[in-house]
Amino acid sequence: MGESLYLFMIVALAVLAITDLVVGVSNDAVNFLNSAIGSKAISFRTIMIVASVGIAFGAMSSSGMMEVARKGIFNPEQFVFSEIMIVFMAVMITDILLLDFFNTLGMPTSTTVSIVFELLGAAVAISIVKIFSNDDSLGDLGSYINTDKATEIILGILLSVVIAFTIGALVQFVSRLLISFKFDQKPKWVSAIFGGFAVTSIIYFIIVKGLKSAAIFGPETLAFIGENPEIFLLMNFVFWTLFSLLVTTIFKWNVYVVVIVLGTFALAMAFAGNDLVNFIGVPLAALASYTAWSESGIPATEFTMEGLASAVQTPTYLLLFSGVIMVITLWFSSKARNVVKTSVDLSRQDEGDERFQPNFLSRQIVKYTIKASENVMGVIPDGWVKQMDKQFEKPYVYIPKSRIQDLPAFDYVRAAVNLMVASVLISLATSMKLPLSTTYVTFMVAMGSSLADRAWGPESAVYRVAGVLNVIGGWFFTAISAFTAAAIIAYVIHLGGIWAIGILLILAFLLIGKNYLTHSKKMKETKLEEKLEKAESNSIIGVIEESSANIALAINRANKIYTQSIDGLAKHDIDTLKKSKKGIAKLDKEVEGLRDNIFYFIKNLDESSVGTSNFYITILSYLQDMTQSLEYIAKAGYKHVHNNHKKLRFNQIKDLKETDGYIEDLFGEIITIFENKDFLKLTELIVNKQELFQKLDLKIQKQVERTRADESSPKNTALYFSLLLETKDLLVATMNLLETYDAHANVKV
């Protein structure tokens, strides 16, 4: 391999570093954005400005880079330059693919874990190649890999998950017990003390974690802080408590908002200052290696890399450039907001649409946790339990559907606790030189505080626990896949050289491009997507007005689903039938969501509006009957084609297409009526319903005659009868719906 090859690899690594910064920020934005966004303490624009300034400060203060990429995982003196470059190239290709995959899914993962296991996997692969080429045994692998450091990092990360969840839950429980949900009604000294604790913790975090390598403080100041942390913390607590009391009394500031702003800045700065190595550490190590080799005059296959063991200062212009890329990504990455949404949804205070479905493990965890909680509460005196319950009481206020999106996922107290606890844990671990993942810590603190805040109630616990299990499972998947993929890619590069590198780079960017286009298309579809809206009125007339658009939309979608099912069956087209299945599943989920909203709908009614609730429940019942019939039709057709049964006969297809025409005409008229709210025309449709039923009965009779005469396929016959009978049920439900509107709309007319 000539010098031009390694120069090409350096250029490729530089491009990969920029790409890795983009996908890395998209993933790690959840670390410092979820609390501020979830609480809506400040505007989204202000949050982004605060985080951007934090990132800029963090990047510029990151002059002393973490050495994990250079000597933390493997022993560099055991490798030559050509081997080190293969390791670094494999790591970067794997990293951008893995992080982009998780970003597309909207799942937060750890850039620290990914880079550690990628380095470990690639180094192990090349070490095994060396061992076999030297006729050594696998027992010598320990001389190539820094097993002590790697084990320490892995155990530290796993331990941090448990500790973060536990401490987050404990601190939130105590905070809520003392402050309650009515924190804005407490005396000013309560919020002042909380502000003193919180700001002191975050300030200490900034100095110890975020600015430990910056030349902002003189050596005497840093030495004093290091030698007298207790005095420093006490002085800070007194100062910030008095400061909080002052701004609360004189300027009427909200202390909790101040804590949230400062905490967001601190975590953003720490992310840029300390996790930056996860994105550019490997390319910088490769550049240092290339520079040392090119000046040596020694062949790449003979130049050993003990030089990587020495510390290297990162050029300021590279840090500044990295910070600019990170800030731009933060502002424009839709994937970053998608990852943040997962964390916020899992920790929000109120019930709503749950992203994750419960599984066996989540059900068992919730079941036994409830039993354990009941046993603990049985030991505590009833008076204490009642007093605790009172502190956790939230006044019920009905919120209209139109305002739900504007509501915070949790309050200022929980947001402040999340930021404070994450700050303390990360600063303590750093001062004790314990490795941990900032992503894991911030996420698990948020989940622990959610549990303690009773956000995971009986209505949502199994869904939230399932979500947390999914995210944690994703973390293990990160480690395993990072190790395996990096090892395979390193071996492929070892075998294929420049050709393998070129092909892998092309594949990597093609996959990222495909994921970007898929994600963009999905986001556009989500924005344009029409959904059934929940009713908010407390009168029948109001519900009729509000639900007209719902009925028109539901009938329109039902019409498309029915036509897709018949067309797919007629053409024996499995893709069309898949679309119909997907469409009815979505419609059914939305109707179920409307039914789930019945509790809140009835709560909003006054005592004279009982008839309104009956009307609303009745129309939802008929909508559900319609979706059930459509679901059966879609699934029956899909199953028939998927199992490769015989195609329907020409006469059967002809009859089904004619039936589809009847349905399309009827549904078209219904859509027009409900869009124009011209309910007087419903009577005409209802009067003519028997004509439709007679047409269906005639087709059923024709199939009976065909079966007796020349039908030879039991599957076709059973399917055909099922489709017609379900179509009849669909029409019955539709007509019942129309009759209900006709009866009540006349009140308005």
Side-chain angles (χ1 to χ4, degrees):
M1 293 185 182
E3 184 172 352
S4 58
L5 167 63
Y6 295 112
L7 184 60
F8 166 75
M9 292 175 76
I10 291 296
V11 173
L13 284 168
V15 175
L16 289 172
I18 295 172
T19 309
D20 207 29
L21 277 169
V22 173
V23 295
V25 171
S26 297
N27 188 280
D28 279 7
V30 68
N31 293 355
F32 48 86
L33 292 181
N34 62 347
S35 292
I37 290 176
S39 65
K40 297 197 175 183
I42 49 179
S43 68
F44 183 77
R45 180 182 177 84
T46 305
I47 293 170
M48 298 297 280
I49 292 172
V50 170
S52 299
V53 174
I55 286 176
F57 268 88
M60 291 304 296
S61 66
S62 184
S63 57
M65 297 296 291
M66 184 174 70
E67 299 298 315
V68 66
R70 302 165 58 84
K71 60 182 180 180
I73 300 300
F74 55 84
N75 299 317
E77 66 275 7
Q78 297 292 331
F79 297 86
V80 296
F81 175 67
S82 59
E83 295 164 343
I84 282 291
M85 290 301 290
I86 291 174
V87 170
F88 290 156
M89 184 62 71
V91 166
M92 292 305 293
I93 292 174
T94 305
D95 202 51
I96 61 171
L97 289 175
L98 192 63
L99 293 180
D100 186 66
F101 171 73
F102 273 92
N103 293 345
T104 303
L105 292 179
M107 299 280 278
T109 192
S110 171
T111 53
T112 304
V113 169
S114 61
I115 205 76
V116 165
F117 279 90
E118 286 153 4
L119 283 165
L120 188 60
V124 166
I126 299 303
S127 299
I128 291 174
V129 169
K130 288 173 66 71
I131 286 170
F132 280 107
S133 64
N134 296 334
D135 292 327
D136 295 330
S137 68
L138 287 175
D140 296 325
L141 187 62
S143 62
Y144 294 91
I145 306 299
N146 190 344
T147 52
D148 291 341
K149 186 66 175 177
T151 303
E152 181 186 356
I153 291 173
I154 294 167
L155 291 178
I157 289 169
L158 291 174
L159 188 61
S160 69
V161 170
V162 179
I163 293 175
F165 184 85
T166 306
I167 300 298
L170 183 62
V171 174
Q172 179 62 37
F173 179 77
V174 173
S175 299
R176 189 64 73 191
L177 206 59
L178 297 175
I179 300 174
S180 81
F181 279 96
K182 300 175 182 178
F183 57 90
D184 51 344
Q185 300 175 13
K186 294 288 181 180
K188 289 182 173 57
W189 62 265
V190 174
S191 59
I193 292 176
F194 181 89
F197 271 115
V199 177
T200 299
S201 304
I202 294 170
I203 290 293
Y204 184 64
F205 165 61
I206 292 175
I207 294 172
V208 174
K209 178 66 176 170
L211 299 177
K212 65 179 184 295
S213 58
I216 294 178
F217 299 98
E220 298 83 6
T221 304
L222 291 175
F224 172 79
I225 295 171
E227 294 171 6
N228 306 282
E230 295 85 0
I231 297 176
F232 174 77
L233 289 172
L234 181 61
M235 290 169 58
N236 264 271
F237 172 69
V238 173
F239 174 80
W240 289 113
T241 300
L242 293 175
F243 174 82
S244 299
L245 189 61
L246 182 69
V247 298
T248 304
T249 306
I250 298 177
F251 300 105
K252 308 298 181 184
W253 288 5
N254 190 313
V255 172
Y256 302 101
V257 175
V258 174
V259 172
I260 291 167
V261 171
L262 188 58
T264 300
F265 171 81
L267 283 172
M269 187 178 64
F271 154 70
N274 296 275
D275 287 1
L276 189 61
V277 69
N278 297 339
F279 316 124
I280 67 172
V282 167
L284 287 176
L287 179 62
S289 303
Y290 175 80
T291 303
W293 168 74
S294 61
E295 294 173 353
S296 69
I298 302 173
T301 54
E302 298 176 14
F303 183 72
T304 55
M305 298 307 304
E306 57 270 1
L308 283 179
S310 58
V312 176
Q313 201 77 356
T314 306
T316 303
Y317 71 89
L318 285 178
L319 295 174
L320 179 61
F321 179 67
S322 300
V324 169
I325 293 174
M326 294 164 85
V327 170
I328 292 173
T329 302
L330 184 67
W331 278 89
F332 294 102
S333 173
S334 61
K335 288 187 178 181
R337 301 179 191 186
N338 198 27
V339 176
V340 172
K341 186 177 184 300
T342 299
S343 180
V344 170
D345 284 349
L346 286 174
S347 58
R348 73 175 184 274
Q349 192 68 37
D350 300 312
E351 286 90 15
D353 295 333
E354 300 291 347
R355 173 177 172 180
F356 298 93
Q357 293 302 310
N359 51 48
F360 173 78
L361 190 55
S362 71
R363 291 188 184 100
Q364 295 305 308
I365 289 174
V366 171
K367 176 182 175 181
Y368 288 109
T369 301
I370 290 173
K371 287 184 178 179
S373 176
E374 289 173 350
N375 291 334
V376 171
M377 289 300 168
V379 177
I380 301 174
D382 291 341
W384 292 12
V385 173
K386 289 179 181 178
Q387 189 62 36
M388 282 192 293
D389 289 341
K390 188 176 180 182
Q391 293 296 91
F392 282 86
E393 281 181 2
K394 299 183 293 293
Y396 176 80
V397 179
Y398 175 79
I399 305 297
K401 173 70 170 64
S402 56
R403 287 189 54 211
I404 285 178
Q405 297 300 322
D406 300 326
L407 294 177
F410 40 79
D411 66 2
Y412 296 170
V413 174
R414 177 130 67 92
V417 167
N418 287 344
L419 292 163
M420 174 179 63
V421 174
S423 302
V424 170
L425 290 178
I426 295 172
S427 65
L428 285 176
T430 304
S431 63
M432 297 168 66
K433 298 184 178 178
L434 295 174
L436 83 171
S437 163
T438 54
T439 301
Y440 291 3
V441 168
T442 52
F443 179 81
M444 293 309 293
V445 165
M447 295 306 102
S449 66
S450 304
L451 176 65
D453 221 17
R454 301 187 181 181
W456 297 359
E459 306 291 334
S460 60
V462 288
Y463 303 98
R464 307 286 175 86
V465 173
V468 174
L469 292 175
N470 271 276
V471 173
I472 294 176
W475 297 346
F476 284 100
F477 175 77
T478 300
I480 296 169
S481 56
F483 179 92
T484 306
I488 292 172
I489 290 175
Y491 186 65
V492 168
I493 295 174
H494 167 74
L495 294 177
I498 182 67
W499 292 104
I501 293 172
I503 292 170
L504 286 168
L505 286 173
I506 292 171
L507 286 175
F509 285 107
L510 283 176
L511 284 171
I512 290 175
K514 180 177 179 293
N515 286 342
Y516 173 77
L517 293 175
T518 303
H519 178 74
S520 298
K521 182 181 178 183
K522 185 177 178 182
M523 295 298 291
K524 287 178 183 177
E525 288 175 353
T526 301
K527 289 178 181 178
L528 296 174
E529 199 173 64
E530 292 183 291
K531 294 184 178 180
L532 304 184
E533 298 294 334
K534 298 178 176 66
E536 297 171 8
S537 295
N538 58 4
S539 69
I540 292 180
I541 293 176
V543 172
I544 288 173
E545 290 285 341
E546 285 184 7
S547 59
S548 296
N550 261 0
I551 299 301
L553 178 59
I555 295 293
N556 185 43
R557 286 165 61 181
N559 192 20
K560 289 179 181 177
I561 292 164
Y562 189 87
T563 300
Q564 277 182 333
S565 299
I566 300 303
D567 285 347
L569 193 56
K571 297 173 184 176
H572 228 60
D573 183 359
I574 195 71
D575 290 332
T576 302
L577 291 166
K578 277 182 182 177
K579 288 179 182 177
S580 68
K581 271 185 65 181
K582 185 177 179 181
I584 188 56
K586 185 175 181 304
L587 181 59
D588 184 57
K589 184 178 179 181
E590 289 180 28
V591 172
E592 185 180 346
L594 296 181
R595 290 177 66 87
D596 290 343
N597 190 59
I598 286 176
F599 169 81
Y600 302 101
F601 174 76
I602 294 174
K603 278 280 188 180
N604 192 44
L605 298 175
D606 53 41
E607 294 180 1
S608 62
S609 302
V610 177
T612 305
S613 62
N614 291 336
F615 173 77
Y616 187 61
I617 292 168
T618 301
I619 62 173
L620 288 184
S621 175
Y622 292 141
L623 274 178
Q624 189 171 47
D625 289 343
M626 291 173 64
T627 59
Q628 286 173 349
S629 294
L630 285 168
E631 184 178 20
Y632 181 88
I633 291 168
K635 286 184 176 179
Y638 176 83
K639 181 181 177 182
H640 186 85
V641 175
H642 192 56
N643 289 339
N644 296 305
H645 294 316
K646 277 185 180 181
K647 290 185 178 181
L648 293 177
R649 298 178 66 173
F650 175 78
N651 286 335
Q652 292 173 322
I653 293 173
K654 180 174 174 290
D655 286 349
L656 287 174
K657 293 292 286 182
E658 286 179 0
T659 304
D660 181 37
Y662 303 151
I663 298 294
E664 190 166 358
D665 290 342
L666 173 66
F667 282 2
E669 290 182 50
I670 295 172
I671 292 167
T672 302
I673 289 171
F674 277 90
E675 283 181 342
N676 298 328
K677 298 185 177 68
D678 190 7
F679 300 113
L680 286 174
K681 292 184 179 179
L682 287 175
T683 306
E684 183 181 348
L685 291 181
I686 295 168
V687 168
N688 295 329
K689 70 178 181 180
Q690 290 303 324
E691 185 180 341
L692 278 174
F693 292 143
Q694 287 170 4
K695 289 179 180 179
L696 286 176
D697 289 338
L698 182 60
K699 294 190 182 303
I700 293 172
Q701 183 59 36
K702 284 172 63 178
Q703 179 59 29
V704 170
E705 293 172 1
R706 283 195 296 260
T707 303
R708 292 173 63 86
D710 61 353
E711 184 63 72
S712 60
S713 173
K715 294 288 185 186
N716 281 12
T717 302
L719 174 66
Y720 184 80
F721 279 130
S722 297
L723 292 176
L724 288 182
L725 291 172
E726 282 299 330
T727 300
K728 195 170 183 179
D729 288 346
L730 172 64
L731 287 175
V732 169
T734 304
M735 288 301 171
N736 287 339
L737 180 72
L738 298 186
E739 288 171 359
T740 303
Y741 269 91
D742 184 53
H744 291 88
N746 287 331
V747 176
K748 178 189 173 184
V749 176

